Amino acid sequence: MTTSPRTALITGASAGIGATFARHLAARDHQLLLVARRGDRLQELAAQLTEQHGVRCEVFAADLTDPAAPAAILDHADQQGLNIDILINNAGLSGKTAFADTPWEVLAREIQLMVTAQTELAHRVVPGMKERRWGRIVNLSSVAAFAPPAASLLYTGIKSYVLNTSQALDMELKPHGIHVTALCPGFTHTEFHDVMGTRDRADHLPGILWQQPDAVVAEGWAAVMKGKPVCVPGTVNKISAAAMKPLPIRLGYFVGKTLNPFKNS
Ligand SMILES: NC(=O)c1ccc[n+]([C@@H]2O[C@H](COP(=O)([O-])OP(=O)(O)OC[C@H]3O[C@@H](n4cnc5c(N)ncnc54)[C@H](OP(=O)(O)O)[C@@H]3O)[C@@H](O)[C@H]2O)c1
């Protein structure tokens, strides 16, 4: 009996961890629907993956800060006859400027991208997964979710939301054959710090703190396959997460206020 290939929807697939997930899943015979704003990059990656692995790879250019984007992406999947079995909620970035100096529209887009769109995509794919009694959702959180809040960044709060709700959804959905995993990388070599404008400061951090996206995705996907609700990839990140989590609130506040190398001005 031949089984039809699973289909994975990956957001933020034009670079970094998302593009790495696309390569990893294509090599495992999954069909892909790749989403990001830079459609040219998605097309190029899709063509490569189809040529290398013979898998179907569709692309949909969308800006996930547009509240209409999640519905548009899933309408497109429907039109293409693709059932989403795997959702990799990966697109993300960190704000660059202090809260009070940042126009509300910019902050609202950050929240829309990493909180609302991510949550809406999950909500829209779950009914189909429930019907088929199989689904995997990976939400990109961060080791920052275990860290104290960092001065003037929404990022740690957003990634804490992702970590918390991923576990809550996993508890609800596991009986239906759907596993949800919060993947919590630490510093990973991608375009993240170029986009954030913190490349100089990032490059001064010790090499031991950094991972390649391939290592993050390989460990993350293995955790998904084992049905783990939380994955902190890499030994150094595991130690950091375990060490930071139990900090007393006052000490955590001090650390977050003084030791964040990416503190916005
Ligand atoms: N790198 C790290 O150190 C690190 C650590 C912990 C967690 N993470 C998390 O990992 C995830 C992936 O980040 P990365 O490190 O791979 O960064 P990256 O190389 O900068 O990739 C970010 C991806 O998100 C997409 N994206 C950004 N804004 C978007 C929008 N408005 N609409 C649609 N797509 C958008 C980008 O595509 P377009 O620009 O083409 O739209 C790109 O494909 C993020 O959620 C990040 O918070 C990263």
Side-chain angles (χ1 to χ4, degrees), residues 12 14 17 37-38 63-64 90 141 155 159 185-186 188 190-191:
S14 61
I17 294 170
R37 290 167 299 185
R38 288 170 289 181
D63 183 343
L64 285 159
N90 162 79
S141 175
Y155 190 76
K159 293 302 186 185
T188 310
T190 66
E191 297 174 10

Side-chain angles (χ1 to χ4, degrees), residues 106-122:
V106 174
L107 298 175
R109 282 200 292 274
E110 202 177 329
I111 295 167
Q112 180 71 31
L113 172 65
M114 288 186 289
V115 176
T116 310
Q118 197 184 94
T119 311
E120 183 179 347
L121 282 171

Side-chain angles (χ1 to χ4, degrees), residues 46-63:
Q48 266 175 24
L49 296 178
T50 301
E51 193 186 317
Q52 282 168 8
H53 305 289
V55 293
R56 180 174 175 197
C57 193
E58 300 289 337
V59 309
F60 189 76
D63 183 343

Side-chain angles (χ1 to χ4, degrees), residues 1 11 49 62 84 99 165 186 190 195 202 217 221-222 234 237:
M1 190 181 81
T11 69
L49 296 178
I84 305 303
F99 176 78
T165 48
T190 66
V195 174
V217 168
W221 190 247
N237 294 328

